[in-house]
Amino acid sequence: MAATPVISDRPAPSRQAYGRAYEQMLDKVRYEGAYPTRERADEAVRLVLAGLGRQLTGDERVDLAGSLPPEAARVLTEQIPDRQPLTGWSFVKDLATRTGASLATTRWDTGSVFSAVAACAGPELVTRILQQLPTGYALLFGRVELVPAA
């Protein structure tokens, strides 16, 4: 007699099928941010890239999207850029407000994701991005903030 299959009313665990490049990016973010799961790293990536997509315009936006894995590029480019870009600190505060997370957690998420973004983009593109954005982003990307001489 064959066993009757058991049907559960619980949903199957949601395990997205990601490309290898995006999985590597998530692994880097997970390592940098010391996140307990890949899913938590994915949440951070989506939050921060959506925020960056609201800030970045022009060739830098296009070039960054081209350097990221398709899943990450989609999150970045689905956003409509704000008319008035935020400073780095305002960027972190905006993300914290949107999620209800603490400023410290949001700052941590941002730094962890921007570290992986910088690895994908390379130093030249990151420099161009920082030149386009208002002050405060260099520290989020793990760089020193240089002030032009008067």
Side-chain angles (χ1 to χ4, degrees), residues 95-143:
L95 294 181
T97 299
R98 289 174 186 269
T99 63
S102 73
L103 290 172
T105 298
T106 306
R107 169 59 180 91
W108 184 266
D109 290 347
T110 303
S112 300
V113 173
F114 280 177
S115 174
V117 167
C120 291
E124 291 175 15
L125 179 53
V126 171
T127 298
R128 288 178 33 221
I129 289 169
L130 292 175
Q131 289 171 342
Q132 183 195 100
L133 294 171
T135 60
Y137 284 87
L139 292 174
L140 297 173
F141 275 95
R143 291 189 175 185

Side-chain angles (χ1 to χ4, degrees), residues 85-104:
L86 301 171
T87 64
W89 179 239
S90 295
F91 176 82
V92 171
K93 290 193 300 189
D94 179 64
L95 294 181
T97 299
R98 289 174 186 269
T99 63
S102 73
L103 290 172

